Amino acid sequence: MEKISISSTARTPAVEFDPVARTFVLSGESYPEDPFKFFADPLATVNAFLEEKHEGPIHFEFRLTYFNSSSAKVLMDLFCSLEEAASRGNDVSVDWVYAEDDDNMLELGEEFSEELSAAKFSLKAIAE
Amino acid sequence: MDALSFLNFRRELSSRGIVFSYSGYLNDDILTGIGNALRTKLALDHTDAKISRGIFSAFVEQVQNVIRYSAESRGPELDEEGEPVDDPYLQEIRYGLVAIGDHPDGVRFVTCGNMIETQHVPRIKDALESIRGLDRKELTKLMREQLKDGPPEGSKGAGVGFISIAREANGRWEYDILPTDDANYCFFCFEAYF
């Protein structure tokens, strides 16, 4: 399985995935013309990774500052995959990182975390 | 050439508080372009960060609605296999109107209008009436539930665009649908307030 490293653009987030270190980071803004197309390849790899049983901890980090409603659907599907991976015995932790004055991202993080119970979830406020 | 009539056109827009307006065929490049100018204007005005984000978000969702669903569309041109041709200028564009501005009382608005097929009117009305009166918390919860259930039939996105706008606008939005001379089409207008 290969590493993924996609740089951010004005409308698409940066995607960093390392299957050996078992880490994933999504950061920036996400409102692509077609989110399903943008995320199709990287998430096919990530989902294949999550299907497997891993010995070490798996860490996913979300550092988004804005995403549109179609991207929210992609995130929801990814959260469901993370929960399934955890419920199959993987050690999955998810960090939702938001700027401390961004109540909107905090609310969205809280709402998305409703999908997680086997996976560990943390909200992390950072100073801008 | 009559500059006065065009100046009067601008005055008409200004009298409605409109700062940004576009009427014509839209595609994603227009969304990016107006979006950048809008964010620049909001930043230069030192607009409150929450209000700026809400306005920008409502703009993105509403313009994407026009780009995906306006009943007045052109393109793309198709090849013999029925696939879009490989030419950046022969792709799909859809007609709609966008206006962003502020009323004298300080309330800012993001408005979009486009033609819709009359057969879709009941579905759109039902969807919007079902979220009328919901507050931000209720809309956030509903958004998650709908994202999980998957998009309704006929949706090209997540099917939560209006819920998302209503949420950002803290439940302050309105819509109207007018019949047109052509019984097959109605004019749909949606406005969010910040």
Side-chain angles (χ1 to χ4, degrees):
Chain A
M1 194 166 282
E2 290 195 5
K3 270 191 179 184
I4 298 170
S5 182
I6 301 170
S7 301
S8 64
T9 70
R11 292 181 57 173
T12 58
V15 185
E16 298 289 339
F17 172 63
D18 184 338
V20 178
R22 300 176 301 278
T23 56
F24 173 93
V25 183
L26 188 66
S27 59
E29 300 197 357
S30 181
Y31 57 114
E33 180 171 348
D34 185 347
F36 306 111
K37 201 167 152 189
F38 173 79
F39 284 107
D41 286 346
L43 289 190
T45 304
V46 169
N47 283 323
F49 170 85
L50 291 174
E51 291 284 323
E52 297 163 7
K53 176 78 178 76
H54 300 276
E55 289 312 313
I58 297 168
H59 185 66
F60 273 57
E61 204 166 290
F62 296 88
R63 296 174 162 268
L64 294 164
T65 51
Y66 168 67
F67 56 89
N68 70 344
S69 64
S70 315
S71 299
K73 172 66 184 159
V74 174
L75 290 176
M76 173 59 73
D77 292 344
L78 181 54
F79 267 63
C80 291
S81 300
L82 287 164
E83 177 59 17
E84 281 166 25
S87 63
R88 282 194 301 269
N90 283 302
D91 177 8
V92 180
S93 62
V94 178
D95 281 359
W96 185 272
V97 184
Y98 64 98
E100 59 187 359
D101 61 352
D102 192 347
D103 301 344
N104 180 54
M105 271 301 149
L106 168 61
E107 282 170 22
L108 292 168
E110 285 172 339
E111 201 61 38
F112 275 89
S113 73
E114 294 282 319
E115 301 307 320
L116 306 179
S117 59
K120 293 189 283 284
F121 180 79
S122 312
L123 289 163
K124 293 200 169 151
I126 49 163
E128 273 184 287
Chain B
M1 176 64 209
D2 176 9
L4 181 61
S5 76
F6 215 54
L7 180 61
N8 283 336
F9 177 53
R10 185 197 154 123
R11 284 174 177 151
E12 164 68 19
L13 295 171
S14 299
S15 73
R16 291 163 171 260
I18 293 170
V19 179
F20 284 91
S21 62
Y22 181 90
S23 172
Y25 287 98
L26 284 148
N27 63 12
D28 259 273
D29 290 336
I30 298 274
L31 188 159
T32 309
I34 300 179
N36 285 346
L38 174 60
R39 278 177 132 177
T40 303
K41 175 73 167 52
L42 291 166
L44 290 170
D45 288 347
H46 299 281
T47 310
D48 173 80
K50 286 190 182 85
I51 291 174
S52 296
R53 195 209 53 240
I55 290 171
F56 179 69
S57 180
F59 164 79
V60 170
E61 299 294 336
Q62 290 195 55
V63 171
Q64 285 188 327
N65 275 345
V66 175
I67 293 170
R68 288 175 182 155
Y69 306 114
S70 169
E72 272 173 290
S73 71
R74 297 287 314 273
E77 276 197 14
L78 304 176
D79 62 20
E80 297 86 41
E81 275 97 52
E83 294 295 319
V85 294
D86 186 21
D87 180 326
Y89 296 111
L90 293 173
Q91 303 306 314
E92 184 177 276
I93 46 177
R94 296 201 190 215
Y95 200 99
L97 291 88
V98 191
I100 306 152
D102 38 65
H103 293 137
D105 60 4
V107 173
R108 297 171 172 87
F109 56 86
V110 180
T111 316
C112 266
N114 58 272
M115 292 296 176
I116 56 172
E117 285 182 43
T118 304
Q119 57 165 332
H120 295 146
V121 169
R123 180 172 55 80
I124 292 167
K125 271 190 171 168
D126 285 352
L128 289 169
E129 292 302 335
S130 75
I131 60 169
R132 189 188 285 285
L134 298 187
D135 67 20
R136 187 180 179 94
K137 206 171 160 48
E138 292 166 327
L139 289 160
T140 308
K141 184 166 175 275
L142 183 66
M143 190 163 98
R144 172 174 59 83
E145 288 166 355
Q146 202 127 317
L147 285 171
K148 212 181 162 187
D149 292 345
E153 203 174 320
S155 171
K156 293 171 194 169
V160 298
F162 286 127
I163 301 174
S164 169
I165 303 167
R167 176 182 169 275
E168 289 278 6
N170 293 308
R172 296 168 69 205
W173 55 273
E174 274 302 329
Y175 79 98
D176 200 10
I177 299 175
L178 278 182
T180 65
D181 294 337
D182 184 338
N184 293 316
Y185 296 96
C186 290
F187 186 67
F188 170 72
C189 200
F190 185 96
E191 190 160 69
Y193 305 103
F194 296 91

